[in-house]
Amino acid sequence: MPSARQVTGVGPRHAFIFDADSGGVDTVDQVVGVDISATRTGTGLYTITHNLGKTAYCATFTAEMAAGNEALVTIVGRSGNTMDIRLETVGGSAVDAAFVHGVIYD
């Protein structure tokens, strides 16, 4: 198994921001990588298409909310080419965000 030293300096495969308001996903700003798309499948539910072709990847997400609000982002499904995330309040209610920031490491 590789040590952290062996993989130090390897950057993310994808880094992106998408508009996640209740009107649906309007834009995906692909900071690093290409061919990322996001689809709103319900309140606080999104499918991210990355086309890595495997499930051996790490991902992290942050929700950018309106002032005074907060949300938790959880990966609730993962496949070789997509992953599903859920945004919810600390009380457990599904909620949409203004933007979602994501990074996927391969």
Side-chain angles (χ1 to χ4, degrees), residues 2 5 10 15-17 40 45 54 56-57 59 70 76 90 92 96 104:
R5 179 179 297 275
V10 175
F16 53 95
I17 303 164
R40 183 179 180 270
L45 298 171
K54 60 184 178 178
Y57 54 82
E70 57 186 39
V76 295
V90 292
D96 289 316
I104 301 172

Side-chain angles (χ1 to χ4, degrees), residues 15-106:
F16 53 95
I17 303 164
F18 66 87
D19 179 345
D21 64 13
S22 61
V25 174
D26 297 325
T27 59
V28 176
D29 182 9
Q30 298 179 59
V31 179
V32 173
V34 296
D35 298 328
I36 286 285
S37 65
T39 305
R40 183 179 180 270
T41 58
T43 302
L45 298 171
Y46 302 89
T47 296
I48 313 300
T49 301
H50 51 69
N51 294 315
L52 292 175
K54 60 184 178 178
T55 58
Y57 54 82
C58 298
T60 186
F61 295 91
T62 303
E64 183 178 335
M65 304 296 291
N69 296 319
E70 57 186 39
L72 305 170
V73 183
T74 305
I75 298 170
V76 295
R78 175 195 305 250
S79 72
N81 294 313
T82 64
M83 72 174 65
D84 298 316
I85 61 172
R86 175 179 164 87
L87 282 63
E88 57 187 40
T89 66
V90 292
S93 299
V95 63
D96 289 316
F99 297 94
V100 172
H101 303 250
V103 178
I104 301 172
Y105 289 88
D106 178 8

